[in-house]
Amino acid sequence: MENTHDMREKILGIVVEYNPLHKGHLFHLDQSISKSAASGVIAVMSGNFVQRGEPAIVDKFDRTYMALKSGVNLVLEIPAIYAVQDAGGFACGAIGILERSGVVTDLVFGSESSELEMLDKVADLIVSRKNELNVKEKTYMKKGFSYPNARKYSLKEMICEECGHYAEGFEETISKSNDILGLEYLRWMRIYESGIVSGTVKRVGSNYNDDNFNGEFSSASAIRKMALNGDWDNLIQAVPELTGVCLEKYRSLGGFFTQDDLREFFFVFLLARNRDHLKKYYGITEGMEKRFADAVKSSDGIDDMLESVKSKRVTYSRLKRTLLYMLFEIDGKMIKDSEYFGPQYIRVLGFDRKGRDILSKMRNAAVIPIISTPSSFNQVLRNYRKALKEEIPYFFDERVFRAQLEMDFRMSDFYYHMLAKKHGVKYVSEIKRPPIIIM
């Protein structure tokens, strides 16, 4: 175990994207604080690209500001290499940061089922019978099932074998987005041998992928759709005031940076490369390079191209993430190294007065470097080595540290260049952005 969480103060950790922050998020935050009885809240948050494989509709510093004004005390960034992976990779980065911070005592996540006992049992099965699960998943995938469905049906078999009383309703439970993520959080807590105490808050309102207006508890998908379509009458009912102000600011400046703005990048990239070159990127499997190469020649837009590439075994979200892997040169080795070593640093995006106190304690308790000012990362690394007197933990690797950080800088610089172009303002490099401080 990397730390024993022996501090008396209860610090809640939550995993968020806030893309954008809405009333359902405020409900989750309020319920999580109440359930954990925590005196402080740390949010680990995606940066400028999110798990759906898209640019965030609002940049990470505006989302940090909204989080801090809503009750979060300290916001930390999930490194980009994790933020744009599937649920398992996303959870590896998020839980790794919470665990390696050394101060988090509790984790509360949103859940459609709120069946923590069942999710815990399934997480135990995934970790303890990993090899058996892999064999079953491959069998289902050979039959044409997508990876999420292959995992679902494999786990259903195993849960029926181990404890049949969980089987009823099980398939539906692990089919919902928040439960799938929650299951991965619990799995990675076991892998990290974490002492963090877990809890759930039952999701209210719309489902994660429901893009229809549903009053004050509309989903983030629906809110993004309303913002992009200019449906402000409904949007303002579903978001707190500060989110509405932020979205209106983006609209008045020239709009939102979306996946559609990447059309020329993706199309030129795919047309300029042969199939063998595409094979080197993570996620390109089962002849996908040929389908991409063919589809780009006859498609009008990104959605049209993805529909041509999509198959029963490959989800739409996975394809969008794969486009980002190609654009940012992410290969299998980078993904494998990041999973093996876990997150290599803690990037501070913002804090309030209470968050400053938590951060001070974290500087003594964290087992990986903490970066507040990006341009000082080399000095941070030297101080980390000096403090440990060269007794570096087995899970820290300077090569992976630099690769993860460089990926963050590149992806954010690209995002801010595109956003600045859309808004007609001067581009500001990621390395010059200090944390948001609210006192």
Side-chain angles (χ1 to χ4, degrees), residues 216-416:
E216 65 174 352
F217 287 123
S218 297
S219 70
S221 296
I223 292 165
R224 289 192 297 272
K225 180 180 177 181
M226 287 184 273
L228 295 173
N229 292 340
D231 184 6
W232 296 92
D233 289 340
N234 282 329
L235 186 147
I236 60 175
Q237 299 179 52
V239 297
E241 182 179 359
L242 78 170
T243 300
V245 170
C246 182
L247 293 173
E248 175 58 35
K249 178 186 75 171
Y250 275 66
R251 181 174 74 157
S252 65
L253 286 171
F256 306 96
F257 171 32
T258 70
Q259 189 183 50
D260 288 340
D261 294 306
L262 296 173
R263 180 190 183 281
E264 289 306 310
F265 286 97
F266 290 142
F267 275 50
V268 169
F269 180 95
L270 289 167
L271 290 168
R273 286 159 177 80
N274 62 36
R275 297 175 191 171
D276 288 338
H277 185 93
L278 297 181
K279 287 180 182 179
K280 75 176 187 176
Y281 299 115
Y282 182 70
I284 299 292
T285 59
E286 303 172 5
M288 198 184 297
E289 71 284 354
K290 181 181 186 304
R291 297 202 299 277
F292 268 118
D294 292 340
V296 72
K297 297 172 185 175
S298 59
S299 301
D300 295 326
I302 293 175
D303 288 340
D304 185 30
M305 178 179 67
L306 294 181
E307 280 299 322
S308 297
V309 177
K310 191 178 182 303
S311 68
K312 288 199 306 182
R313 293 177 57 168
V314 181
T315 65
Y316 194 63
S317 292
R318 176 184 163 184
L319 288 177
K320 290 193 289 185
R321 289 192 294 267
T322 302
L323 286 176
L324 293 183
Y325 301 153
M326 291 190 284
L327 180 62
F328 293 110
E329 303 277 326
I330 299 175
D331 60 23
K333 186 177 188 307
M334 186 176 297
I335 297 289
K336 185 176 180 180
D337 284 347
S338 290
E339 180 177 311
Y340 180 80
F341 289 102
Q344 298 293 285
Y345 53 86
I346 296 171
R347 170 76 187 280
V348 179
L349 292 180
F351 52 87
D352 64 7
R353 191 180 302 275
K354 173 64 179 178
R356 180 182 61 185
D357 295 338
I358 297 173
L359 182 58
S360 177
K361 294 174 182 177
M362 208 168 76
R363 292 191 186 282
N364 293 321
V367 295
I368 50 178
I370 299 173
I371 300 173
S372 293
T373 305
S375 58
S376 66
F377 70 88
N378 278 316
Q379 185 60 51
V380 167
L381 185 57
R382 286 193 291 270
N383 291 343
Y384 175 72
R385 289 189 171 280
K386 183 178 179 180
L388 293 176
K389 297 180 175 60
E390 299 302 321
E391 295 180 6
I392 307 300
Y394 71 91
F395 50 79
F396 182 80
D397 185 286
E398 184 174 335
R399 174 184 56 85
V400 181
F401 168 93
R402 292 184 179 278
Q404 290 183 358
L405 191 61
E406 187 262 351
M407 179 64 63
D408 280 354
F409 289 161
R410 279 199 294 122
M411 291 181 73
S412 275
D413 280 347
F414 181 89
Y415 180 96
Y416 285 120

Side-chain angles (χ1 to χ4, degrees), residues 21 33 37 60 116 125 134 138 145 171 183 226 273 287 301 317 336 351 355 371 394 426:
L21 184 140
I33 294 171
K60 62 186 177 184
L116 183 60
L125 280 178
N134 287 340
K138 289 176 181 177
F145 290 93
E171 185 177 326
L183 184 57
M226 287 184 273
R273 286 159 177 80
S317 292
K336 185 176 180 180
F351 52 87
I371 300 173
Y394 71 91
K426 186 177 180 181

